[in-house]
Amino acid sequence: MGAYYDEVEIEDMVWDEEKRVYHYPCPCGDRFEISKKQLKNYEDIATCPSCSLIIRVIYDPLDFEDEPSDDEDEGAEEEADEEDESDEGSGDEAFEDAMEHLTITDEQPQAIAAAA
Protein backbone atom coordinates (compact mmCIF):
# COMPACT_ATOMS: atom_id res chain seq x y z
CA MET A 1 0.00 0.00 0.00
CA GLY A 2 1.55 3.31 -1.01
CA ALA A 3 -1.06 5.86 0.04
CA TYR A 4 0.33 6.73 3.46
CA TYR A 5 -0.14 10.26 4.71
CA ASP A 6 3.28 10.03 6.35
CA GLU A 7 5.85 7.66 7.83
CA VAL A 8 6.45 8.21 11.55
CA GLU A 9 8.97 6.59 13.88
CA ILE A 10 7.54 4.96 17.00
CA GLU A 11 9.80 7.18 19.11
CA ASP A 12 7.88 10.22 17.81
CA MET A 13 4.57 8.76 18.96
CA VAL A 14 3.16 9.08 22.49
CA TRP A 15 1.96 6.13 24.62
CA ASP A 16 -1.54 6.64 26.05
CA GLU A 17 -1.80 4.45 29.17
CA GLU A 18 -5.57 4.94 29.50
CA LYS A 19 -6.44 3.93 25.91
CA ARG A 20 -3.40 1.58 25.73
CA VAL A 21 -2.33 2.84 22.28
CA TYR A 22 0.45 4.89 20.73
CA HIS A 23 -0.87 8.05 19.13
CA TYR A 24 0.30 10.79 16.80
CA PRO A 25 -1.54 14.00 15.80
CA CYS A 26 -3.63 13.84 12.62
CA PRO A 27 -4.23 16.95 10.46
CA CYS A 28 -8.00 16.52 10.95
CA GLY A 29 -7.56 17.31 14.66
CA ASP A 30 -7.88 13.74 15.96
CA ARG A 31 -4.99 11.29 16.45
CA PHE A 32 -3.60 8.30 14.58
CA GLU A 33 -3.61 5.25 16.86
CA ILE A 34 -1.89 1.85 16.97
CA SER A 35 -1.80 -0.68 19.82
CA LYS A 36 1.08 -2.80 21.12
CA LYS A 37 -0.87 -5.87 20.04
CA GLN A 38 -0.90 -4.60 16.44
CA LEU A 39 2.82 -3.86 16.58
CA LYS A 40 3.50 -7.30 18.05
CA ASN A 41 1.59 -8.80 15.08
CA TYR A 42 3.88 -6.90 12.66
CA GLU A 43 1.14 -4.41 11.71
CA ASP A 44 2.65 -1.03 10.93
CA ILE A 45 -0.40 1.00 9.90
CA ALA A 46 -1.81 3.52 12.38
CA THR A 47 -5.30 4.76 11.56
CA CYS A 48 -7.19 7.89 12.45
CA PRO A 49 -10.66 7.08 13.83
CA SER A 50 -12.10 10.35 12.45
CA CYS A 51 -10.86 10.41 8.86
CA SER A 52 -9.47 8.13 6.17
CA LEU A 53 -5.80 9.04 6.61
CA ILE A 54 -3.27 6.42 7.65
CA ILE A 55 0.39 6.55 8.57
CA ARG A 56 3.11 3.92 8.45
CA VAL A 57 4.84 3.38 11.77
CA ILE A 58 8.58 2.77 11.57
CA TYR A 59 9.67 0.46 14.40
CA ASP A 60 11.68 -2.65 15.19
CA PRO A 61 9.24 -5.58 15.56
CA LEU A 62 11.75 -7.35 17.81
CA ASP A 63 11.17 -4.64 20.43
CA PHE A 64 7.56 -5.83 20.76
CA GLU A 65 8.15 -9.57 20.38
CA ASP A 66 8.27 -10.24 24.13
CA GLU A 67 5.72 -7.59 25.05
CA PRO A 68 2.49 -8.93 26.50
CA SER A 69 -0.51 -8.01 24.38
CA ASP A 70 -3.02 -5.50 25.76
CA ASP A 71 -5.26 -8.22 27.25
CA GLU A 72 -2.36 -10.15 28.78
CA ASP A 73 -0.86 -6.95 30.16
CA GLU A 74 -4.04 -6.00 32.05
CA GLY A 75 -4.38 -9.50 33.49
CA ALA A 76 -0.78 -9.50 34.64
CA GLU A 77 -1.26 -6.18 36.42
CA GLU A 78 -4.35 -7.50 38.22
CA GLU A 79 -2.53 -10.70 39.25
CA ALA A 80 0.45 -8.71 40.49
CA ASP A 81 -1.84 -6.48 42.57
CA GLU A 82 -3.57 -9.52 44.07
CA GLU A 83 -0.24 -11.16 44.90
CA ASP A 84 1.03 -7.99 46.54
CA GLU A 85 -2.08 -7.74 48.70
CA SER A 86 -2.28 -11.41 49.66
CA ASP A 87 1.28 -12.19 50.72
CA GLU A 88 3.41 -9.13 51.21
CA GLY A 89 6.86 -10.06 52.43
CA SER A 90 6.31 -13.81 52.13
CA GLY A 91 8.78 -13.99 49.22
CA ASP A 92 11.54 -12.76 51.52
CA GLU A 93 10.56 -15.28 54.19
CA ALA A 94 10.56 -18.15 51.70
CA PHE A 95 14.01 -17.07 50.47
CA GLU A 96 15.35 -16.95 54.03
CA ASP A 97 13.90 -20.42 54.75
CA ALA A 98 15.54 -21.79 51.60
CA MET A 99 18.87 -20.29 52.58
CA GLU A 100 18.66 -21.91 56.03
CA HIS A 101 18.15 -25.36 54.49
CA LEU A 102 20.77 -24.98 51.75
CA THR A 103 23.68 -27.37 51.93
CA ILE A 104 26.67 -27.38 49.62
CA THR A 105 28.93 -30.41 49.47
CA ASP A 106 31.86 -31.57 47.37
CA GLU A 107 30.51 -35.11 47.14
CA GLN A 108 29.92 -36.56 43.68
CA PRO A 109 26.38 -37.82 43.07
CA GLN A 110 26.11 -41.62 43.06
CA ALA A 111 24.69 -43.37 40.01
CA ILE A 112 21.56 -45.37 40.69
CA ALA A 113 20.61 -48.21 38.36
CA ALA A 114 16.96 -48.40 37.42
CA ALA A 115 15.32 -51.57 36.15
CA ALA A 116 13.36 -51.16 32.95
Side-chain angles (χ1 to χ4, degrees):
M1 180 183 285
Y4 305 120
Y5 168 71
D6 200 358
E7 292 186 350
V8 178
E9 294 194 22
I10 191 77
E11 291 83 13
D12 295 332
M13 299 182 81
V14 178
W15 174 249
D16 184 338
E17 187 66 40
E18 188 173 311
K19 291 181 75 177
R20 308 204 54 79
V21 296
Y22 285 97
H23 61 83
Y24 187 80
C26 179
C28 77
D30 205 344
R31 304 182 300 191
F32 295 102
E33 298 178 344
I34 191 165
S35 68
K36 285 184 181 180
K37 183 177 181 180
Q38 289 173 295
L39 294 168
K40 185 177 178 180
N41 290 331
Y42 302 97
E43 298 176 32
D44 63 351
I45 306 299
T47 58
C48 175
S50 298
C51 71
S52 62
L53 292 178
I54 59 173
I55 58 172
R56 180 169 180 254
V57 180
I58 309 299
Y59 74 106
D60 183 358
L62 297 177
D63 291 343
F64 293 90
E65 192 172 79
D66 296 331
E67 283 281 329
S69 63
D70 297 338
D71 299 335
E72 293 170 0
D73 200 20
E74 290 173 5
E77 288 175 6
E78 291 173 8
E79 289 175 13
D81 291 344
E82 290 173 9
E83 288 176 11
D84 289 345
E85 293 171 4
S86 65
D87 46 31
E88 283 187 24
S90 66
D92 291 338
E93 293 170 10
F95 180 74
E96 289 173 8
D97 290 343
M99 290 300 292
E100 288 174 12
H101 300 295
L102 179 67
T103 57
I104 300 174
T105 63
D106 289 332
E107 296 176 20
Q108 295 295 325
Q110 296 177 358
I112 300 173

CSV table of all heavy atoms in Angstrom, one decimal, residues 42-95:
chain,number,residue,atom,x,y,z
A,42,TYR,N,3.2,-7.4,13.8
A,42,TYR,CA,3.9,-6.9,12.7
A,42,TYR,C,3.0,-6.0,11.8
A,42,TYR,O,3.2,-5.8,10.6
A,42,TYR,CB,4.5,-8.0,11.8
A,42,TYR,CG,5.4,-8.9,12.5
A,42,TYR,CD1,5.0,-10.1,13.1
A,42,TYR,CD2,6.7,-8.5,12.7
A,42,TYR,CE1,5.9,-10.9,13.8
A,42,TYR,CE2,7.6,-9.3,13.4
A,42,TYR,CZ,7.2,-10.5,14.0
A,42,TYR,OH,8.0,-11.3,14.7
A,43,GLU,N,2.0,-5.4,12.4
A,43,GLU,CA,1.1,-4.4,11.7
A,43,GLU,C,1.8,-3.1,11.9
A,43,GLU,O,2.1,-2.7,13.0
A,43,GLU,CB,-0.3,-4.4,12.3
A,43,GLU,CG,-1.0,-5.7,12.1
A,43,GLU,CD,-2.4,-5.8,12.7
A,43,GLU,OE1,-3.0,-4.7,12.7
A,43,GLU,OE2,-2.8,-6.8,13.1
A,44,ASP,N,2.0,-2.3,10.8
A,44,ASP,CA,2.7,-1.0,10.9
A,44,ASP,C,1.8,0.1,10.4
A,44,ASP,O,2.3,1.2,10.1
A,44,ASP,CB,4.0,-1.1,10.2
A,44,ASP,CG,3.8,-1.3,8.7
A,44,ASP,OD1,2.7,-1.6,8.2
A,44,ASP,OD2,4.9,-1.2,8.0
A,45,ILE,N,0.5,-0.1,10.4
A,45,ILE,CA,-0.4,1.0,9.9
A,45,ILE,C,-1.2,1.6,11.1
A,45,ILE,O,-2.0,0.8,11.7
A,45,ILE,CB,-1.4,0.5,8.8
A,45,ILE,CG1,-0.7,-0.2,7.7
A,45,ILE,CG2,-2.3,1.6,8.3
A,45,ILE,CD1,0.3,0.7,6.9
A,46,ALA,N,-1.0,2.8,11.4
A,46,ALA,CA,-1.8,3.5,12.4
A,46,ALA,C,-2.9,4.3,11.7
A,46,ALA,O,-2.7,4.9,10.6
A,46,ALA,CB,-1.0,4.5,13.2
A,47,THR,N,-4.1,4.1,12.2
A,47,THR,CA,-5.3,4.8,11.6
A,47,THR,C,-5.8,5.9,12.4
A,47,THR,O,-5.6,5.9,13.6
A,47,THR,CB,-6.4,3.7,11.4
A,47,THR,OG1,-6.8,3.2,12.7
A,47,THR,CG2,-6.0,2.6,10.5
A,48,CYS,N,-6.5,6.8,11.8
A,48,CYS,CA,-7.2,7.9,12.5
A,48,CYS,C,-8.7,7.5,12.5
A,48,CYS,O,-9.3,7.2,11.5
A,48,CYS,CB,-7.0,9.2,11.7
A,48,CYS,SG,-8.0,10.5,12.5
A,49,PRO,N,-9.3,7.5,13.7
A,49,PRO,CA,-10.7,7.1,13.8
A,49,PRO,C,-11.6,8.1,13.2
A,49,PRO,O,-12.8,7.8,13.0
A,49,PRO,CB,-10.9,6.9,15.3
A,49,PRO,CG,-9.8,7.7,16.0
A,49,PRO,CD,-8.7,7.7,15.0
A,50,SER,N,-11.2,9.3,12.9
A,50,SER,CA,-12.1,10.3,12.5
A,50,SER,C,-12.0,10.6,11.0
A,50,SER,O,-12.9,11.2,10.4
A,50,SER,CB,-11.8,11.7,13.2
A,50,SER,OG,-12.0,11.5,14.5
A,51,CYS,N,-11.0,10.2,10.3
A,51,CYS,CA,-10.9,10.4,8.9
A,51,CYS,C,-10.2,9.2,8.2
A,51,CYS,O,-10.0,8.2,8.8
A,51,CYS,CB,-10.1,11.7,8.6
A,51,CYS,SG,-8.3,11.6,8.9
A,52,SER,N,-10.0,9.3,6.9
A,52,SER,CA,-9.5,8.1,6.2
A,52,SER,C,-7.9,8.1,6.1
A,52,SER,O,-7.4,7.2,5.4
A,52,SER,CB,-10.1,8.1,4.8
A,52,SER,OG,-9.7,9.3,4.1
A,53,LEU,N,-7.3,9.0,6.7
A,53,LEU,CA,-5.8,9.0,6.6
A,53,LEU,C,-5.2,7.9,7.4
A,53,LEU,O,-5.7,7.5,8.5
A,53,LEU,CB,-5.3,10.4,7.1
A,53,LEU,CG,-5.6,11.6,6.2
A,53,LEU,CD1,-5.0,12.9,6.9
A,53,LEU,CD2,-5.0,11.4,4.8
A,54,ILE,N,-4.0,7.4,6.9
A,54,ILE,CA,-3.3,6.4,7.7
A,54,ILE,C,-1.8,6.8,7.6
A,54,ILE,O,-1.4,7.5,6.7
A,54,ILE,CB,-3.5,5.0,7.1
A,54,ILE,CG1,-3.1,5.0,5.6
A,54,ILE,CG2,-4.9,4.5,7.3
A,54,ILE,CD1,-3.1,3.6,5.0
A,55,ILE,N,-1.0,6.3,8.6
A,55,ILE,CA,0.4,6.5,8.6
A,55,ILE,C,1.1,5.2,8.7
A,55,ILE,O,0.5,4.3,9.3
A,55,ILE,CB,0.9,7.5,9.7
A,55,ILE,CG1,0.5,7.0,11.1
A,55,ILE,CG2,0.4,8.9,9.4
A,55,ILE,CD1,1.1,7.8,12.2
A,56,ARG,N,2.3,5.1,8.3
A,56,ARG,CA,3.1,3.9,8.4
A,56,ARG,C,4.0,4.2,9.6
A,56,ARG,O,4.7,5.2,9.7
A,56,ARG,CB,3.9,3.6,7.2
A,56,ARG,CG,4.8,2.4,7.4
A,56,ARG,CD,5.4,1.9,6.0
A,56,ARG,NE,6.2,0.8,6.2
A,56,ARG,CZ,7.5,0.8,6.2
A,56,ARG,NH1,8.2,1.9,6.0
A,56,ARG,NH2,8.2,-0.4,6.4
A,57,VAL,N,4.0,3.3,10.6
A,57,VAL,CA,4.8,3.4,11.8
A,57,VAL,C,6.2,2.6,11.5
A,57,VAL,O,6.2,1.5,11.2
A,57,VAL,CB,4.1,2.8,13.0
A,57,VAL,CG1,5.0,2.9,14.2
A,57,VAL,CG2,2.8,3.5,13.2
A,58,ILE,N,7.2,3.4,11.7
A,58,ILE,CA,8.6,2.8,11.6
A,58,ILE,C,9.0,2.3,13.0
A,58,ILE,O,9.1,3.1,13.9
A,58,ILE,CB,9.6,3.8,11.0
A,58,ILE,CG1,9.1,4.5,9.8
A,58,ILE,CG2,10.9,3.2,10.8
A,58,ILE,CD1,8.8,3.6,8.6
A,59,TYR,N,9.3,1.0,13.1
A,59,TYR,CA,9.7,0.5,14.4
A,59,TYR,C,10.4,-0.9,14.2
A,59,TYR,O,10.3,-1.4,13.1
A,59,TYR,CB,8.4,0.3,15.3
A,59,TYR,CG,7.6,-0.9,14.9
A,59,TYR,CD1,7.6,-2.1,15.7
A,59,TYR,CD2,6.8,-0.8,13.8
A,59,TYR,CE1,6.8,-3.2,15.3
A,59,TYR,CE2,6.0,-1.9,13.4
A,59,TYR,CZ,6.0,-3.1,14.2
A,59,TYR,OH,5.2,-4.1,13.9
A,60,ASP,N,11.0,-1.4,15.2
A,60,ASP,CA,11.7,-2.6,15.2
A,60,ASP,C,10.7,-3.7,15.8
A,60,ASP,O,10.5,-3.6,17.0
A,60,ASP,CB,13.0,-2.6,16.0
A,60,ASP,CG,13.8,-3.9,15.9
A,60,ASP,OD1,13.3,-4.9,15.3
A,60,ASP,OD2,14.9,-3.9,16.5
A,61,PRO,N,10.2,-4.6,15.0
A,61,PRO,CA,9.2,-5.6,15.6
A,61,PRO,C,9.8,-6.4,16.7
A,61,PRO,O,9.1,-6.9,17.6
A,61,PRO,CB,8.9,-6.5,14.4
A,61,PRO,CG,9.3,-5.7,13.2
A,61,PRO,CD,10.4,-4.8,13.6
A,62,LEU,N,11.1,-6.6,16.7
A,62,LEU,CA,11.7,-7.4,17.8
A,62,LEU,C,11.6,-6.7,19.2
A,62,LEU,O,11.6,-7.3,20.2
A,62,LEU,CB,13.2,-7.6,17.5
A,62,LEU,CG,13.5,-8.4,16.3
A,62,LEU,CD1,15.0,-8.5,16.1
A,62,LEU,CD2,12.9,-9.8,16.4
A,63,ASP,N,11.4,-5.4,19.2
A,63,ASP,CA,11.2,-4.6,20.4
A,63,ASP,C,9.8,-5.0,21.1
A,63,ASP,O,9.7,-4.9,22.3
A,63,ASP,CB,11.2,-3.1,20.2
A,63,ASP,CG,12.6,-2.6,19.9
A,63,ASP,OD1,13.6,-3.3,20.1
A,63,ASP,OD2,12.7,-1.5,19.3
A,64,PHE,N,8.9,-5.5,20.3
A,64,PHE,CA,7.6,-5.8,20.8
A,64,PHE,C,7.3,-7.3,20.8
A,64,PHE,O,6.2,-7.8,21.2
A,64,PHE,CB,6.5,-5.1,19.9
A,64,PHE,CG,6.5,-3.7,20.0
A,64,PHE,CD1,7.3,-2.9,19.2
A,64,PHE,CD2,5.8,-3.0,21.0
A,64,PHE,CE1,7.4,-1.5,19.3
A,64,PHE,CE2,5.9,-1.7,21.2
A,64,PHE,CZ,6.7,-0.9,20.3
A,65,GLU,N,8.3,-8.1,20.4
A,65,GLU,CA,8.1,-9.6,20.4
A,65,GLU,C,7.8,-10.2,21.7
A,65,GLU,O,7.0,-11.0,21.9
A,65,GLU,CB,9.4,-10.2,19.8
A,65,GLU,CG,9.3,-11.6,19.5
A,65,GLU,CD,10.5,-12.1,18.7
A,65,GLU,OE1,11.5,-12.4,19.4
A,65,GLU,OE2,10.5,-12.2,17.5
A,66,ASP,N,8.5,-9.7,22.8
A,66,ASP,CA,8.3,-10.2,24.1
A,66,ASP,C,7.3,-9.4,24.9
A,66,ASP,O,7.0,-9.8,26.1
A,66,ASP,CB,9.6,-10.3,24.9
A,66,ASP,CG,10.6,-11.2,24.2
A,66,ASP,OD1,10.1,-12.2,23.6
A,66,ASP,OD2,11.8,-11.0,24.3
A,67,GLU,N,6.7,-8.4,24.4
A,67,GLU,CA,5.7,-7.6,25.0
A,67,GLU,C,4.4,-8.4,25.2
A,67,GLU,O,4.0,-9.0,24.3
A,67,GLU,CB,5.4,-6.3,24.2
A,67,GLU,CG,6.4,-5.2,24.3
A,67,GLU,CD,6.3,-4.5,25.6
A,67,GLU,OE1,5.2,-4.3,26.2
A,67,GLU,OE2,7.4,-4.0,26.1
A,68,PRO,N,3.8,-8.3,26.4
A,68,PRO,CA,2.5,-8.9,26.5
A,68,PRO,C,1.5,-8.1,25.7
A,68,PRO,O,1.6,-6.9,25.6
A,68,PRO,CB,2.2,-8.9,28.0
A,68,PRO,CG,3.1,-7.9,28.6
A,68,PRO,CD,4.3,-7.8,27.6
A,69,SER,N,0.5,-8.8,25.1
A,69,SER,CA,-0.5,-8.0,24.4
A,69,SER,C,-1.4,-7.2,25.4
A,69,SER,O,-1.3,-7.4,26.6
A,69,SER,CB,-1.4,-9.0,23.6
A,69,SER,OG,-2.1,-9.8,24.4
A,70,ASP,N,-2.2,-6.4,24.9
A,70,ASP,CA,-3.0,-5.5,25.8
A,70,ASP,C,-3.8,-6.3,26.8
A,70,ASP,O,-3.9,-6.0,28.0
A,70,ASP,CB,-4.0,-4.7,24.9
A,70,ASP,CG,-3.2,-3.7,24.0
A,70,ASP,OD1,-2.1,-3.4,24.3
A,70,ASP,OD2,-3.8,-3.3,23.0
A,71,ASP,N,-4.5,-7.4,26.4
A,71,ASP,CA,-5.3,-8.2,27.3
A,71,ASP,C,-4.4,-8.9,28.3
A,71,ASP,O,-4.7,-8.9,29.5
A,71,ASP,CB,-6.0,-9.3,26.5
A,71,ASP,CG,-7.0,-8.7,25.5
A,71,ASP,OD1,-7.4,-7.5,25.7
A,71,ASP,OD2,-7.3,-9.3,24.5
A,72,GLU,N,-3.3,-9.5,27.9
A,72,GLU,CA,-2.4,-10.2,28.8
A,72,GLU,C,-1.8,-9.2,29.8
A,72,GLU,O,-1.6,-9.5,30.9
A,72,GLU,CB,-1.2,-10.8,28.0
A,72,GLU,CG,-1.7,-12.0,27.1
A,72,GLU,CD,-0.6,-12.4,26.2
A,72,GLU,OE1,0.5,-11.9,26.3
A,72,GLU,OE2,-0.8,-13.3,25.4
A,73,ASP,N,-1.5,-8.0,29.3
A,73,ASP,CA,-0.9,-7.0,30.2
A,73,ASP,C,-1.8,-6.6,31.3
A,73,ASP,O,-1.4,-6.5,32.4
A,73,ASP,CB,-0.5,-5.7,29.3
A,73,ASP,CG,0.5,-4.8,29.9
A,73,ASP,OD1,1.3,-5.3,30.8
A,73,ASP,OD2,0.6,-3.7,29.6
A,74,GLU,N,-3.1,-6.4,31.0
A,74,GLU,CA,-4.0,-6.0,32.0
A,74,GLU,C,-4.2,-7.1,33.1
A,74,GLU,O,-4.3,-6.9,34.3
A,74,GLU,CB,-5.4,-5.7,31.4
A,74,GLU,CG,-5.4,-4.4,30.6
A,74,GLU,CD,-6.7,-4.1,29.9
A,74,GLU,OE1,-7.6,-4.9,30.0
A,74,GLU,OE2,-6.7,-3.2,29.1
A,75,GLY,N,-4.2,-8.4,32.6
A,75,GLY,CA,-4.4,-9.5,33.5
A,75,GLY,C,-3.2,-9.6,34.4
A,75,GLY,O,-3.3,-9.9,35.6
A,76,ALA,N,-2.0,-9.4,33.8
A,76,ALA,CA,-0.8,-9.5,34.6
A,76,ALA,C,-0.8,-8.4,35.7
A,76,ALA,O,-0.3,-8.7,36.8
A,76,ALA,CB,0.4,-9.4,33.7
A,77,GLU,N,-1.2,-7.2,35.4
A,77,GLU,CA,-1.3,-6.2,36.4
A,77,GLU,C,-2.2,-6.5,37.6
A,77,GLU,O,-1.9,-6.3,38.7
A,77,GLU,CB,-1.7,-4.9,35.8
A,77,GLU,CG,-0.6,-4.2,34.9
A,77,GLU,CD,-1.1,-3.0,34.2
A,77,GLU,OE1,-2.2,-2.5,34.5
A,77,GLU,OE2,-0.3,-2.5,33.4
A,78,GLU,N,-3.4,-7.1,37.2
A,78,GLU,CA,-4.3,-7.5,38.2
A,78,GLU,C,-3.8,-8.6,39.1
A,78,GLU,O,-3.9,-8.6,40.3
A,78,GLU,CB,-5.7,-8.0,37.6
A,78,GLU,CG,-6.4,-6.8,36.9
A,78,GLU,CD,-7.6,-7.3,36.1
A,78,GLU,OE1,-7.9,-8.5,36.2
A,78,GLU,OE2,-8.2,-6.5,35.4
A,79,GLU,N,-3.1,-9.6,38.5
A,79,GLU,CA,-2.5,-10.7,39.2
A,79,GLU,C,-1.4,-10.2,40.2
A,79,GLU,O,-1.3,-10.6,41.3
A,79,GLU,CB,-2.0,-11.8,38.3
A,79,GLU,CG,-3.0,-12.6,37.6
A,79,GLU,CD,-2.4,-13.5,36.6
A,79,GLU,OE1,-1.1,-13.7,36.6
A,79,GLU,OE2,-3.1,-14.0,35.7
A,80,ALA,N,-0.6,-9.3,39.7
A,80,ALA,CA,0.4,-8.7,40.5
A,80,ALA,C,-0.1,-8.0,41.7
A,80,ALA,O,0.4,-8.1,42.8
A,80,ALA,CB,1.3,-7.8,39.7
A,81,ASP,N,-1.2,-7.2,41.5
A,81,ASP,CA,-1.8,-6.5,42.6
A,81,ASP,C,-2.4,-7.4,43.6
A,81,ASP,O,-2.2,-7.2,44.8
A,81,ASP,CB,-3.0,-5.6,42.1
A,81,ASP,CG,-2.5,-4.4,41.3
A,81,ASP,OD1,-1.2,-4.1,41.3
A,81,ASP,OD2,-3.3,-3.8,40.5
A,82,GLU,N,-3.0,-8.5,43.2
A,82,GLU,CA,-3.6,-9.5,44.1
A,82,GLU,C,-2.5,-10.2,44.9
A,82,GLU,O,-2.6,-10.4,46.1
A,82,GLU,CB,-4.4,-10.6,43.3
A,82,GLU,CG,-5.7,-10.0,42.7
A,82,GLU,CD,-6.4,-11.1,41.8
A,82,GLU,OE1,-5.9,-12.2,41.8
A,82,GLU,OE2,-7.4,-10.7,41.2
A,83,GLU,N,-1.4,-10.5,44.2
A,83,GLU,CA,-0.2,-11.2,44.9
A,83,GLU,C,0.4,-10.2,45.9
A,83,GLU,O,0.7,-10.6,47.0
A,83,GLU,CB,0.8,-11.6,43.9
A,83,GLU,CG,0.5,-12.8,43.1
A,83,GLU,CD,1.5,-13.1,42.0
A,83,GLU,OE1,2.6,-12.6,42.1
A,83,GLU,OE2,1.2,-13.9,41.1
A,84,ASP,N,0.5,-8.9,45.6
A,84,ASP,CA,1.0,-8.0,46.5
A,84,ASP,C,0.2,-7.9,47.8
A,84,ASP,O,0.6,-7.8,48.9
A,84,ASP,CB,1.2,-6.6,45.9
A,84,ASP,CG,2.3,-6.6,44.9
A,84,ASP,OD1,3.1,-7.5,44.8
A,84,ASP,OD2,2.3,-5.6,44.1
A,85,GLU,N,-1.2,-7.9,47.6
A,85,GLU,CA,-2.1,-7.7,48.7
A,85,GLU,C,-2.1,-9.0,49.6
A,85,GLU,O,-2.2,-8.9,50.8
A,85,GLU,CB,-3.5,-7.5,48.2
A,85,GLU,CG,-3.6,-6.1,47.5
A,85,GLU,CD,-5.0,-5.9,46.8
A,85,GLU,OE1,-5.8,-6.8,46.9
A,85,GLU,OE2,-5.2,-4.9,46.2
A,86,SER,N,-2.1,-10.2,48.9
A,86,SER,CA,-2.3,-11.4,49.7
A,86,SER,C,-1.1,-11.8,50.5
A,86,SER,O,-1.2,-12.3,51.6
A,86,SER,CB,-2.7,-12.5,48.7
A,86,SER,OG,-1.6,-12.8,47.8
A,87,ASP,N,0.1,-11.7,50.0
A,87,ASP,CA,1.3,-12.2,50.7
A,87,ASP,C,2.5,-11.2,50.6
A,87,ASP,O,3.5,-11.6,50.0
A,87,ASP,CB,1.7,-13.6,50.3
A,87,ASP,CG,1.7,-13.8,48.8
A,87,ASP,OD1,2.0,-12.9,48.1
A,87,ASP,OD2,1.5,-14.9,48.4
A,88,GLU,N,2.3,-10.1,51.2
A,88,GLU,CA,3.4,-9.1,51.2
A,88,GLU,C,4.5,-9.6,52.1
A,88,GLU,O,4.3,-10.1,53.2
A,88,GLU,CB,2.9,-7.8,51.7
A,88,GLU,CG,2.2,-7.0,50.6
A,88,GLU,CD,1.8,-5.6,51.1
A,88,GLU,OE1,2.6,-5.0,51.9
A,88,GLU,OE2,0.9,-5.0,50.6
A,89,GLY,N,5.7,-9.7,51.6
A,89,GLY,CA,6.9,-10.1,52.4
A,89,GLY,C,7.1,-11.6,52.5
A,89,GLY,O,8.1,-12.0,53.0
A,90,SER,N,6.1,-12.4,52.0
A,90,SER,CA,6.3,-13.8,52.1
A,90,SER,C,7.4,-14.3,51.2
A,90,SER,O,8.0,-15.3,51.5
A,90,SER,CB,5.0,-14.5,51.8
A,90,SER,OG,4.6,-14.3,50.5
A,91,GLY,N,7.7,-13.6,50.1
A,91,GLY,CA,8.8,-14.0,49.2
A,91,GLY,C,10.1,-13.9,49.9
A,91,GLY,O,11.0,-14.8,49.8
A,92,ASP,N,10.3,-12.9,50.7
A,92,ASP,CA,11.5,-12.8,51.5
A,92,ASP,C,11.7,-13.9,52.5
A,92,ASP,O,12.7,-14.4,52.7
A,92,ASP,CB,11.6,-11.4,52.2
A,92,ASP,CG,11.8,-10.3,51.2
A,92,ASP,OD1,12.2,-10.5,50.1
A,92,ASP,OD2,11.4,-9.1,51.6
A,93,GLU,N,10.5,-14.2,53.2
A,93,GLU,CA,10.6,-15.3,54.2
A,93,GLU,C,10.9,-16.6,53.5
A,93,GLU,O,11.7,-17.4,54.1
A,93,GLU,CB,9.2,-15.4,54.9
A,93,GLU,CG,8.9,-14.1,55.8
A,93,GLU,CD,7.5,-14.1,56.3
A,93,GLU,OE1,6.8,-15.1,56.1
A,93,GLU,OE2,7.1,-13.1,56.8
A,94,ALA,N,10.3,-16.9,52.4
A,94,ALA,CA,10.6,-18.2,51.7
A,94,ALA,C,12.0,-18.2,51.3
A,94,ALA,O,12.7,-19.3,51.4
A,94,ALA,CB,9.7,-18.3,50.5
A,95,PHE,N,12.6,-17.1,50.9
A,95,PHE,CA,14.0,-17.1,50.5
A,95,PHE,C,14.9,-17.3,51.7
A,95,PHE,O,15.8,-18.1,51.6
A,95,PHE,CB,14.3,-15.7,49.9
A,95,PHE,CG,15.8,-15.6,49.4
A,95,PHE,CD1,16.2,-16.3,48.3
A,95,PHE,CD2,16.7,-14.8,50.2
A,95,PHE,CE1,17.6,-16.2,47.9
A,95,PHE,CE2,18.0,-14.7,49.8
A,95,PHE,CZ,18.4,-15.4,48.7
